[in-house]
mmCIF file of all heavy atoms in Angstrom:
data_model
loop_
_atom_site.group_PDB
_atom_site.id
_atom_site.type_symbol
_atom_site.label_atom_id
_atom_site.label_comp_id
_atom_site.label_asym_id
_atom_site.label_seq_id
_atom_site.Cartn_x
_atom_site.Cartn_y
_atom_site.Cartn_z
ATOM 1 N N ALA A 65 -12.047 -3.708 -11.217
ATOM 2 C CA ALA A 65 -11.229 -3.911 -10.014
ATOM 3 C C ALA A 65 -10.649 -5.322 -9.964
ATOM 4 O O ALA A 65 -9.510 -5.518 -9.557
ATOM 5 C CB ALA A 65 -12.057 -3.634 -8.757
ATOM 6 N N ALA A 66 -11.419 -6.306 -10.403
ATOM 7 C CA ALA A 66 -10.924 -7.685 -10.370
ATOM 8 C C ALA A 66 -9.766 -7.867 -11.338
ATOM 9 O O ALA A 66 -8.773 -8.522 -11.018
ATOM 10 C CB ALA A 66 -12.052 -8.661 -10.701
ATOM 11 N N ALA A 67 -9.872 -7.264 -12.513
ATOM 12 C CA ALA A 67 -8.786 -7.371 -13.496
ATOM 13 C C ALA A 67 -7.546 -6.653 -12.991
ATOM 14 O O ALA A 67 -6.426 -7.163 -13.121
ATOM 15 C CB ALA A 67 -9.228 -6.788 -14.830
ATOM 16 N N GLN A 68 -7.725 -5.470 -12.393
ATOM 17 C CA GLN A 68 -6.578 -4.753 -11.841
ATOM 18 C C GLN A 68 -5.903 -5.567 -10.744
ATOM 19 O O GLN A 68 -4.678 -5.594 -10.644
ATOM 20 C CB GLN A 68 -7.017 -3.396 -11.284
ATOM 21 C CG GLN A 68 -7.298 -2.376 -12.354
ATOM 22 C CD GLN A 68 -7.664 -1.033 -11.757
ATOM 23 O OE1 GLN A 68 -8.323 -0.953 -10.731
ATOM 24 N NE2 GLN A 68 -7.215 0.026 -12.397
ATOM 25 N N ALA A 69 -6.703 -6.220 -9.929
ATOM 26 C CA ALA A 69 -6.145 -7.034 -8.842
ATOM 27 C C ALA A 69 -5.323 -8.194 -9.400
ATOM 28 O O ALA A 69 -4.279 -8.539 -8.853
ATOM 29 C CB ALA A 69 -7.259 -7.552 -7.935
ATOM 30 N N LEU A 70 -5.792 -8.792 -10.504
ATOM 31 C CA LEU A 70 -5.036 -9.887 -11.115
ATOM 32 C C LEU A 70 -3.690 -9.407 -11.639
ATOM 33 O O LEU A 70 -2.670 -10.069 -11.463
ATOM 34 C CB LEU A 70 -5.833 -10.513 -12.262
ATOM 35 C CG LEU A 70 -6.956 -11.457 -11.880
ATOM 36 C CD1 LEU A 70 -7.746 -11.855 -13.118
ATOM 37 C CD2 LEU A 70 -6.425 -12.679 -11.165
ATOM 38 N N VAL A 71 -3.692 -8.253 -12.289
ATOM 39 C CA VAL A 71 -2.463 -7.722 -12.864
ATOM 40 C C VAL A 71 -1.493 -7.284 -11.778
ATOM 41 O O VAL A 71 -0.308 -7.601 -11.800
ATOM 42 C CB VAL A 71 -2.775 -6.541 -13.819
ATOM 43 C CG1 VAL A 71 -1.504 -5.846 -14.257
ATOM 44 C CG2 VAL A 71 -3.549 -7.052 -15.020
ATOM 45 N N SER A 72 -2.003 -6.539 -10.786
ATOM 46 C CA SER A 72 -1.126 -5.977 -9.761
ATOM 47 C C SER A 72 -0.853 -6.933 -8.606
ATOM 48 O O SER A 72 0.035 -6.695 -7.797
ATOM 49 C CB SER A 72 -1.743 -4.690 -9.196
ATOM 50 O OG SER A 72 -2.903 -4.997 -8.445
ATOM 51 N N ARG A 73 -1.634 -8.012 -8.554
ATOM 52 C CA ARG A 73 -1.566 -8.968 -7.439
ATOM 53 C C ARG A 73 -1.905 -8.297 -6.117
ATOM 54 O O ARG A 73 -1.441 -8.711 -5.061
ATOM 55 C CB ARG A 73 -0.205 -9.652 -7.369
ATOM 56 C CG ARG A 73 0.092 -10.485 -8.589
ATOM 57 C CD ARG A 73 1.441 -11.163 -8.464
ATOM 58 N NE ARG A 73 1.742 -11.879 -9.680
ATOM 59 C CZ ARG A 73 1.703 -13.206 -9.776
ATOM 60 N NH1 ARG A 73 1.359 -13.922 -8.760
ATOM 61 N NH2 ARG A 73 2.003 -13.786 -10.908
ATOM 62 N N ARG A 74 -2.702 -7.226 -6.184
ATOM 63 C CA ARG A 74 -3.171 -6.526 -4.991
ATOM 64 C C ARG A 74 -4.674 -6.365 -5.096
ATOM 65 O O ARG A 74 -5.190 -5.973 -6.129
ATOM 66 C CB ARG A 74 -2.514 -5.147 -4.869
ATOM 67 C CG ARG A 74 -1.019 -5.249 -4.611
ATOM 68 C CD ARG A 74 -0.430 -3.931 -4.218
ATOM 69 N NE ARG A 74 -0.988 -3.505 -2.939
ATOM 70 C CZ ARG A 74 -1.259 -2.243 -2.641
ATOM 71 N NH1 ARG A 74 -1.052 -1.289 -3.501
ATOM 72 N NH2 ARG A 74 -1.749 -1.941 -1.465
ATOM 73 N N ALA A 75 -5.370 -6.631 -4.007
ATOM 74 C CA ALA A 75 -6.821 -6.508 -3.991
ATOM 75 C C ALA A 75 -7.264 -5.086 -3.662
ATOM 76 O O ALA A 75 -8.405 -4.721 -3.912
ATOM 77 C CB ALA A 75 -7.414 -7.479 -2.969
ATOM 78 N N LYS A 76 -6.352 -4.287 -3.093
ATOM 79 C CA LYS A 76 -6.672 -2.941 -2.620
ATOM 80 C C LYS A 76 -7.769 -2.979 -1.559
ATOM 81 O O LYS A 76 -8.636 -2.126 -1.505
ATOM 82 C CB LYS A 76 -7.041 -2.019 -3.783
ATOM 83 C CG LYS A 76 -5.890 -1.817 -4.754
ATOM 84 C CD LYS A 76 -6.219 -0.849 -5.831
ATOM 85 C CE LYS A 76 -5.920 0.533 -5.304
ATOM 86 N NZ LYS A 76 -6.043 1.560 -6.337
#
Side-chain angles (χ1 to χ4, degrees):
Q68 285 183 324
L70 282 173
V71 171
S72 69
R73 297 181 184 253
R74 293 192 65 216
K76 297 184 86 173

